[in-house]
Structures are given as C-alpha cells and as structure tokens.
C-alpha cells in the first residue's frame, strides 16, 4: 500500500483511510481472496520476540506462510544481543541478509522510536512494554465490527488492568475513530489518567455492566507493575472478575473479548470461557488475516529509504586524501 509506514509502532502511525483499507483487505483474505505479493522477489520476514508470546508470534508465523513467504525466527537468547550488540546493528544485519520486515516484541516501552527517522529495516511492533500493541488493536477492531456491526454510538468497556495494558493504549487511539465510546473500568490503581476524546473511566462495575454493548477483559499484567506498587489481588475474581452470576444479577448478555492469555478464575470464569459469549477465538482467527493484510501493506509501500543511511559505505570520515 503506497504511503504505508515502514515502522508500525503505534496506531498513530496510520491514517484512517489506511486502517479502512486494512479492514477491507483482511476481510477479503478471510473470504479467500488471493495474496498479492511482489512478484519479482520472495518475502522474508523475521520475528524477534524478546518477551513471551503464543498468539501473536504464531499468528504472524501463520500469516507469513499463508502469504507464501519465508519465516525466520530470530532467537534473541542465542544471538549477539547477548554479547552486547545494539538492536540497531542486529536489525541491520538482518537487513543485509535480505530480510524484508522484522516483527519485534520487547518489554521496553518506546524502544522503536529511535528507528523512525532512519529505519534500518521495516519493523512491525508486536508489543512494546506497556506502550502499544497496534496489530492486536486492529484485529480487535475487525472482530468488534464482525460481532457488533456498525460501531458508531456503541460502548465497549475494558475491564481490568488498563494502566499496564499496551492493547488498551492502542485501543484508546483506535476505537474512538470508529465512533466507539470506550469505557475503562477497574480499581483506581488500574486506570490510566490519560484523558482522550471518546474515553471515559469508572470504578463502578455494576454500572459498567449495565451500560455497555460488549466487554473486553484483561489479565493482571504483574510483570509490568513497579516493584513498589504490588497490590493484593487475592480477592480479584470476587470484586472484578466476570462470571455468570454477575451477568445474571444485571440481566445482561454481553459478548466477551479478551486478547489472551486469559487467567481463568481471576478475570473470567471457566463457565463463560466455555459459553457462546466468549469471543476470544474469533479474535485469534481474525489475527491471521489482519496480520497478513498488514505485512502485505508494508511490503508494498514503495519506501526505498529503508536502510538508506547505512547503505552509503563510501563515506570517508577522515576527509579527502591529500
Ligand atoms: C497481550 C500482550 O502481550 O500485550 N496479549 C497478546 O498479545 N495477545 C495481552 C497481555 O499480555 O496480557
């Protein structure tokens, strides 16, 4: 897609028409439209997950294969990153070896900012710390539309540890563009203080359940909490977890979304995971098509500046020979 960014770090890197085009393409791929790859070369995509993952890594791997591309998994543990090499030099190594795109997951927020002006390689953010997870938000958007129809005027409530959730931070940037009123619900210490148009906050779960069209649950992301800020989560399910009796009490039937991994018995009960309200498997299924659309758009963005500043190896830093 011409003009598509070469570094997809956050939702803000995309325009609304680009997001619309991704939705259209992901749905077409789901309906078995053929993949469009550059015909003059084969596609090589690396995944570099410096943090654990099941869904994101495997759906990218599956998307790459379905596009007819080659997937190389870069194992950070066994790489020169462990010998003190910078991420920039590592990415440049992948670039010179002919990799088209690298998908990176890291526990460090904003790690990819440094590459925006001079990208050493095309990069898709697979989740950086608690900052952003744009591809998850995009596949969630695709699934919300599939389940709820038009999103204009609908309220979607994210319940749980919103503050540490990179998915929430991406959804805050994305969903209001589609007319959603996004409500963040949880204990005060789990709510970010960001004020954004179309986004409200509440710690009143009873009100939230009665005034929403869908719920989106989050696990407590303990690994992203400050050491100084450990709360006691032993009574979490009783206070904030969603189960059948809470839905019955409010007489509501709500579709339940979750980016995974879900902690059953904490934010969600087993009976709801086993029910027809549980939408997480639709999100997982759609993740492959949305990620295919994103890879395709980035490969075909016509950007020949990638690696440019590094390609000029003739630079004579010692000046002219006399
Ligand atoms: C999320 C993530 O890693 O940010 N999961 C995902 O990518 N599917 C959510 C989480 O970590 O809880």
């Amino acid at each position: 897609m011409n003009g598509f960014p070469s570094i997809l770090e956050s939702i803000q890197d995309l325009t609304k028409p680009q997001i619309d085009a991704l939705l259209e393409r992901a749905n077409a791929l789901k309906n078995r439209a053929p993949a469009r790859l550059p015909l003059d070369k084969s596609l090589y995509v690396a995944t570099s997950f410096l943090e654990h993952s099941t869904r994101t890594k495997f759906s990218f791997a599956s998307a790459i294969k379905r596009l007819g591309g080659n997937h190389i998994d870069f194992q950070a543990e066994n790489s020169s990153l462990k010998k003190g090499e910078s991420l920039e030099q590592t990415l440049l190594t992948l670039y010179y070896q002919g990799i088209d795109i690298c998908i990176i997951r890291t526990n460090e927020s904003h790690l990819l900012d440094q590459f925006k002006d001079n990208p050493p390689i095309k990069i898709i953010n697979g989740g950086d710390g608690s900052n952003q997870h744009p591809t998850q938000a995009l596949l969630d958007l695709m699934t919300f539309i599939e389940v709820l129809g038009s999103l204009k005027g609908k309220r979607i409530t994210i319940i749980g540890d919103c503050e540490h959730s990179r998915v929430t931070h991406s959804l805050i940037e994305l969903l209001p563009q589609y007319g959603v009123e996004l409500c963040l619900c949880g204990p005060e210490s789990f709510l970010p203080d960001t004020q954004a148009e179309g986004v409200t906050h509440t710690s009143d779960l009873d009100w939230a359940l009665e005034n929403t069209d869908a719920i989106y649950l989050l696990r407590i992301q303990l690994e992203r909490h400050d050491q100084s800020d450990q709360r006691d989560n032993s009574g979490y399910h009783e206070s904030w977890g969603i189960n059948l009796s809470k839905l019955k009490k409010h007489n509501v039937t709500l579709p339940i979304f979750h980016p995974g991994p879900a902690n059953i018995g904490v934010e969600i009960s087993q009976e709801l995971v086993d029910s027809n309200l549980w939408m997480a498997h639709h999100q997982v299924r759609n993740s492959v098509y949305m990620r295919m659309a994103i890879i395709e758009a980035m490969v075909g963005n016509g950007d020949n500046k990638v690696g440019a500043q590094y390609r000029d190896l003739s630079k004579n830093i010692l000046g002219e020979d006399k």
Side-chain angles (χ1 to χ4, degrees), residues 47 57 64 82 132 146 164 175 181 191 212 214 258 262 314-315:
T47 46
K57 186 165 165 178
I64 295 160
K82 288 278 163 202
Q132 284 277 317
E146 205 170 85
H164 301 97
L175 293 184
E181 198 203 294
L191 296 180
T212 194
H258 197 308
S314 57
K315 212 166 24 181

Side-chain angles (χ1 to χ4, degrees), residues 55-56 105 133 136 166-167 219 221 224 259-261:
R55 271 153 281 268
T56 305
R105 168 169 287 193
H133 194 351
Q136 177 70 41
R166 51 197 178 202
V167 184
R219 85 188 156 90
Q221 296 137 78
R224 296 180 201 144

Side-chain angles (χ1 to χ4, degrees), residues 251-277:
N251 196 19
V252 288
T253 311
L254 297 168
I256 303 168
F257 298 82
H258 197 308
N263 288 168
I264 296 172
V266 185
E267 70 270 16
I268 183 76
S269 66
Q270 181 74 57
E271 73 218 342
L272 287 182
V273 169
D274 295 338
S275 79
N276 61 353
L277 298 178

